[in-house]
Amino acid sequence: MPVVSAPGKIILLGEHAVVFGKPAVAMGIDMRLTCRVTEGRHNMVNGQPLNGRYHAYVAAAIRDHWSGRPLDIAIESKIPSGSGLGSSAALAVALLGAMSQMRGGIDEEGVARAAFDVESTVQGRASPLDTSTSSHGQGIFVDSVPGNDLLWHVKRDSRQWYVHHCPVPDLTFVVGFTGIRAPTGPLVAKVKRYVDRTRFAREVVDEIGEITTEGAKRLQDHDVVALGKLMTRDHNLLAILGVSSPELQRLVDAAIPFSYGAKLTGAGGGGSMIALTDRPEKVSEAIARRGGVPHIVRTGIDGVRAEAIDG
Ligand code: MEV
């Protein structure tokens, strides 16, 4: 019986723009989702028959990436769904990781590719950022050109991404969850409509790409002051694209006085924000005072991995 887990993620820079092939930086975090999988008589999810409407990611993973006997799947998650912290990617990665394990051993790249495929099918449009981060863990730098520490190259229609391993310096991030669950697909579609229609939105996407390239360098120099400023600028550009919300803005504003920078993370529209800080307790208090749920995250963690059966 494979028991396989995969982490959630935070995006430091570049969400949404990465869907258009721009760069992005993300890290795995210490919130994990676990799948326990056995072969059964029917496909089941947490004791219920598989239903494509409620279990879209599981249904797509089984339909497109499994040819064995029906699967009985038990999912346990510490990543709130719709929180912007990568719960859907972690589900696809952990389940495909379990399937890979049943075929003889977890193939990280194969799992990342299949999980991207599942996410694209269900979400409608996606980048490989979330699924690569959940598969590989640590840090991920996606770029439009190949560089050092290349992990894999992904193509879809006219877009392509070079996915790199990115070393994770010792930085402290606080996540603030607004409590509002916002599915990614409609937000990605909204940005696409805006970008298709206006040159202004295309320029905003280009600028997010430039900020991200600069931020990836500042991350490796450990220049938290410059990195924080770039994160806050990125947030303001994402707000212009229409993916922030009053609740996210409240938490970002609350965190800024005690942080190097703060921004929404993930698709936005609700979900979560992150702050880069060396005063995590102060930031957590400020987030909680404005009605958010704070979490001081640990980074530099494993990607998809097999768990001990009783663990
Ligand atoms: C969602 O976590 C990140 C987005 O850029 C979508 C994607 O990359 O697939 C909004």
Side-chain angles (χ1 to χ4, degrees), residues 97-108:
M99 292 174 180
S100 178
Q101 173 96 325
M102 287 163 103
R103 290 190 204 101
I106 298 178
D107 159 21
E108 181 183 300

Side-chain angles (χ1 to χ4, degrees), residues 9 11 15-16 18-19 119 123 126-127 129-130 184 188 266-267:
K9 60 86 192 43
I11 300 178
E15 53 271 270
H16 284 290
V18 69
V19 179
E119 207 170 56
Q123 208 168 283
S127 81
L129 179 66
D130 292 10
T184 301
V188 168

Side-chain angles (χ1 to χ4, degrees), residues 1-8 28-37 76 78 89-102 105-109 111-112 131-138 298-311:
M1 170 171 84
V3 182
V4 173
S5 77
I29 56 171
D30 57 342
M31 291 178 171
R32 300 187 79 86
L33 178 147
T34 303
C35 281
R36 292 167 182 268
V37 179
E76 226 180 85
K78 298 271 187 300
L91 171 57
V93 167
L95 177 55
L96 289 155
M99 292 174 180
S100 178
Q101 173 96 325
M102 287 163 103
I106 298 178
D107 159 21
E108 181 183 300
E109 177 176 346
V111 167
T131 39
S132 290
T133 306
S134 189
S135 300
H136 181 65
Q138 307 301 322
R298 203 161 57 76
T299 54
I301 50 92
D302 288 347
V304 62
R305 71 176 184 215
E307 300 290 344
I309 299 263
D310 59 356

